[in-house]
Amino acid sequence: MQNPILTIPELSIAFSSGENKRTVLNHFNLSLRRGECVGLVGESGSGKTLSALSILQLLPQAARVSRESQIIFRDQNLLDLSEKQMRHVRGKHIGMIFQDAMSALNPVLTIGQQLTETIRLHLLLNSRESKARALSLLEQVGIAEPLRCYQSYPHELSGGMRQRAMIAIAVCAEPSIIIADEPTTALDVTIQAQVLDLLNRLKKEKQCALLFIGHDLSVVSQMADDITVLKQGEMIEQASAHVFFQHPKEEYSQQLLNAVLKNTPRKTNEQKTENVLSVDHLKMYFFVRTGILKRVKYSVKAVDDVSFAIKKGETLALVGESGSGKTTTAKAILQLIKNTDGNVVFLNKNLNQLSRKKLREMRSNMQIIFQDPYSALNPRMMVFDSLCEGLLIQKKVRNKKEALPIIDDILKQVELPLDFKWRYPHEFSGGQRQRICIARALTLSPQLLILDEPTSALDVTTQKQILDLLEKIQNEKNISYLLITHNISVVAFMAHRVAVMKEGKIIETGGVADVLQSPQHEYTKQLLHSTPTPSNFSTKEDN
């Protein structure tokens, strides 16, 4: 066995606040070898990202690394290097793909400027060569229009495109170590497959070492040679990937594997008759104007002649790649953007024909749960204020005192302690915040919930809890769901029917079992083929 390129014989990290000291990573150790991948798995808050940030000395100010800690790279302890010395290590020798592309990218520089800056600094290429390499990298990570992406600012790109651009920046100098922190969280399955293939090729062809942090064990199983399991800052298990996924030793490891969703449909198509929502020939065009007279140069058909219906108590899953029009369709349904053509009929009323006042009243019956529970809640408002805001705006209650019993009842429904209502969002974990977002959506007793990637930011155990909660709420209240997702396992778990979108059009629709097990359209087959499968796992249910 070859010698490791990076070794962490000991790493302990604590957070200090005044006289209080809390250990968040305890006696962590790790070895990375060229051409191999170590998968770092565990629930949110287990210390995975902290261990990765410590390698690049990017820990928050409150973090304190123990004196005994060592991170050995090329015979020197990275913890002893100055900030100036670390700048020559970051990017050139060790690249990092961050989970949140929006906060990791510089908002005032174009993607091209950020790419060429790294290329010119570390590879010493001229402007023309740097641009050519940058465009090639953007194409390699699956961006269809590399020049447009090169010229765009981060806010002008979709979440999936931002993530791919950040991956291009991380690998542009061909570092010997790549740290990938949830690199495919915001990506659809086909782009995810392309990115994983790119990382695998870099690992094999360039013989770089890869530290892959992930909560999707189906993805980790495709990438990792060895697995390290963390729980609350403690190392629970270290094993080869084959041994871990077939015969995990620790009970916690088995719990993680049991929480992974299967791709097998579990819902039946019950006969329901009453439509809650009907979308008929919906079109959403964005017109691009140029020149002094601002004439229309061309139009982007984000949603192009889309029709579907959702029955009472039914879940329709809308699946497809990033940029296929899923979220734009949801915004048009909610009338957050005005559709170009077509009708949205909700509870037998055409929303396009309602006055602003009537539309506001109707909105209490349809709510949305956003993808990111961190940005969906106002950090300056207590949970109670966030939950009763809708009740006050819709005049369901006269004051906050009247809202109190309603809020308590909602918190019980989402299985949160009643005293949580007096706390602020930053005091909660990701799973707890998502439960609060669900509670906020339920306060107005909606008949339709739009779920926009409701679990993509959550680890596997928390994801399973949230999906179980949503299913329980649907069964109890007979709510209809429009589920927007790129996760086929979530579709199999939650949906009754599936509609597949591609380039603004619905290309296939049907019962979840029919579409997932016998897809008719070639694009649907491609989506399913790109989906990681957990079939190679050994769980208690299989034994």
Side-chain angles (χ1 to χ4, degrees):
M1 184 180 289
Q2 62 176 310
N3 293 328
I5 186 174
L6 183 138
T7 306
I8 304 178
E10 158 68 20
L11 180 62
S12 295
I13 302 172
F15 277 104
S16 297
S17 178
E19 297 181 356
N20 297 323
K21 185 178 179 181
R22 178 170 59 92
T23 301
V24 291
L25 194 65
N26 194 29
H27 300 305
F28 177 79
N29 63 80
L30 189 75
S31 292
L32 293 175
R33 293 179 172 81
R34 285 189 175 276
E36 294 184 3
C37 173
V38 172
L40 199 54
V41 302
E43 295 175 308
S44 299
S46 59
K48 306 187 300 296
T49 299
L50 276 177
S51 62
L53 293 175
S54 64
I55 295 173
L56 291 172
Q57 290 201 38
L58 294 175
L59 290 169
Q61 278 191 328
R64 299 289 180 267
V65 180
S66 69
R67 293 181 179 178
E68 298 79 17
S69 296
Q70 287 185 309
I71 301 174
I72 308 299
F73 175 67
R74 294 186 174 176
D75 300 323
Q76 58 183 176
N77 187 358
L78 294 180
L79 297 175
D80 293 336
L81 299 186
S82 66
E83 175 60 25
K84 184 177 180 180
Q85 290 172 311
M86 281 302 301
R87 287 176 192 160
H88 295 285
V89 174
R90 299 183 194 124
K92 184 176 182 180
H93 300 296
I94 305 176
M96 184 158 182
I97 304 166
F98 295 92
Q99 181 175 358
D100 184 3
M102 193 62 186
S103 60
L105 294 170
N106 190 327
V108 299
L109 295 179
T110 65
I111 297 300
Q113 288 173 319
Q114 296 181 63
L115 259 171
T116 53
E117 178 186 36
T118 307
I119 293 169
R120 296 182 69 179
L121 176 66
H122 294 306
L123 299 183
L124 305 178
L125 301 180
N126 61 35
S127 298
R128 182 176 56 81
E129 292 169 332
S130 297
K131 182 176 180 179
R133 178 167 176 78
L135 291 171
S136 174
L137 281 163
L138 292 173
E139 191 173 358
Q140 286 180 46
V141 295
I143 291 177
E145 299 177 274
L147 182 59
R148 184 175 74 84
C149 178
Y150 181 92
Q151 296 170 339
S152 299
Y153 290 91
H155 73 273
E156 296 178 301
L157 303 176
S158 68
M161 289 182 70
R162 282 196 295 265
Q163 190 75 354
R164 281 174 270 170
M166 189 174 61
I167 292 170
I169 294 171
V171 304
C172 67
E174 296 184 356
S176 51
I177 297 173
I178 297 174
I179 300 171
D181 187 5
E182 305 277 9
T184 60
T185 293
L187 305 181
D188 55 70
V189 288
T190 50
I191 300 302
Q192 174 180 268
Q194 292 176 22
V195 168
L196 296 181
D197 181 61
L198 173 65
L199 292 175
N200 267 323
R201 279 193 285 112
L202 287 168
K203 184 181 74 169
K204 293 173 183 176
E205 295 173 7
K206 306 296 183 183
Q207 284 295 293
C208 68
L210 181 61
L211 178 60
F212 193 95
I213 300 170
H215 63 246
D216 189 336
L217 296 185
S218 301
V219 172
V220 175
S221 70
Q222 292 188 340
M223 298 294 297
D225 299 292
D226 297 294
I227 300 291
T228 295
V229 183
L230 280 174
K231 181 185 180 184
Q232 296 176 357
E234 301 284 348
M235 291 179 62
I236 301 298
E237 185 169 352
Q238 283 185 314
S240 70
H242 175 75
V243 170
F244 175 79
F245 286 112
Q246 293 298 322
H247 305 288
K249 292 180 181 179
E250 301 298 326
E251 184 179 352
Y252 176 71
S253 301
Q254 186 66 63
Q255 289 173 4
L256 288 178
L257 293 175
N258 284 337
V260 176
L261 301 176
K262 308 294 183 183
N263 289 344
T264 306
R266 59 187 291 277
K267 287 209 173 192
T268 57
N269 284 323
E270 300 172 18
Q271 294 298 317
K272 301 176 186 294
T273 55
E274 183 185 348
N275 279 349
V276 169
L277 175 74
S278 295
V279 177
D280 299 310
H281 303 290
L282 183 69
K283 295 180 181 179
M284 191 66 236
Y285 296 173
F286 295 99
F287 299 100
V288 179
R289 302 175 184 272
T290 58
I292 298 174
L293 299 178
K294 296 296 180 182
R295 290 174 176 165
V296 175
K297 186 175 182 181
Y298 63 90
S299 63
V300 177
K301 298 181 179 181
V303 180
D304 191 14
D305 201 24
V306 163
S307 298
F308 60 82
I310 303 177
K311 299 183 183 299
K312 192 169 182 62
E314 181 186 50
T315 300
L316 173 69
L318 204 55
V319 301
E321 296 176 314
S322 297
S324 60
K326 305 186 301 295
T327 300
T328 304
T329 300
K331 289 179 179 179
I333 290 170
L334 293 168
Q335 298 291 292
L336 297 177
I337 52 177
K338 188 68 176 173
N339 51 295
T340 308
D341 198 7
N343 294 307
V344 178
V345 179
F346 179 61
L347 299 180
N348 299 318
K349 293 183 179 179
N350 191 333
L351 301 186
N352 302 88
Q353 299 174 355
L354 296 182
S355 65
R356 184 175 295 182
K357 181 180 178 182
K358 290 292 183 182
L359 182 60
R360 181 180 294 179
E361 293 172 359
M362 186 60 73
R363 279 211 182 104
S364 65
N365 287 308
M366 50 181 179
Q367 296 290 303
I368 185 168
I369 297 171
F370 295 98
Q371 178 178 356
D372 183 7
Y374 293 89
S375 59
L377 295 169
N378 189 328
R380 297 183 178 183
M381 293 175 67
M382 281 194 299
V383 170
F384 175 77
D385 294 321
S386 291
L387 294 185
C388 71
E389 186 178 32
L391 292 169
L392 293 168
I393 290 173
Q394 292 289 346
K395 298 182 180 179
K396 303 288 184 182
V397 294
R398 289 175 295 180
N399 50 54
K400 290 183 178 181
K401 186 177 180 180
E402 283 187 10
L404 190 59
I406 299 173
I407 301 305
D408 285 349
D409 183 56
I410 294 294
L411 288 173
K412 289 176 186 175
Q413 289 178 37
V414 298
E415 300 168 3
L416 287 175
L418 299 185
D419 63 339
F420 274 23
K421 62 179 173 286
W422 306 121
R423 299 186 187 180
Y424 289 90
H426 72 271
E427 299 179 70
F428 301 104
S429 67
Q432 289 171 333
R433 291 189 206 203
Q434 195 64 302
R435 287 175 185 267
I436 293 168
C437 290
I438 294 170
R440 182 175 61 180
L442 292 175
T443 53
L444 295 171
S445 302
Q447 296 191 44
L448 173 69
L449 268 183
I450 295 177
L451 313 173
D452 190 1
E453 300 281 7
T455 61
S456 65
L458 307 177
D459 59 68
V460 286
T461 49
T462 308
Q463 171 183 264
K464 181 69 164 54
Q465 293 168 7
I466 294 299
L467 293 178
D468 284 337
L469 174 64
L470 288 169
E471 185 179 44
K472 186 189 86 167
I473 290 169
Q474 185 177 51
N475 292 336
E476 291 176 353
K477 296 181 174 293
N478 208 23
I479 299 177
S480 302
Y481 291 157
L482 175 61
L483 172 65
I484 297 171
T485 185
H486 61 249
N487 191 325
I488 300 299
S489 300
V490 173
V491 173
F493 185 91
M494 285 286 293
H496 298 98
R497 290 189 302 116
V498 185
V500 182
M501 285 194 78
K502 183 177 191 288
E503 297 174 353
K505 296 178 179 289
I506 289 182
I507 58 167
E508 184 168 355
T509 185
V512 63
D514 296 331
V515 174
L516 298 190
Q517 295 176 349
S518 303
Q520 301 301 305
H521 199 281
E522 196 59 38
Y523 175 72
T524 310
K525 294 177 184 177
Q526 182 187 347
L527 277 181
L528 296 174
H529 179 72
S530 302
T531 302
T533 173
S535 59
N536 60 328
F537 296 177
S538 173
T539 65
K540 287 181 179 177
E541 290 137 6
D542 300 324
N543 297 331

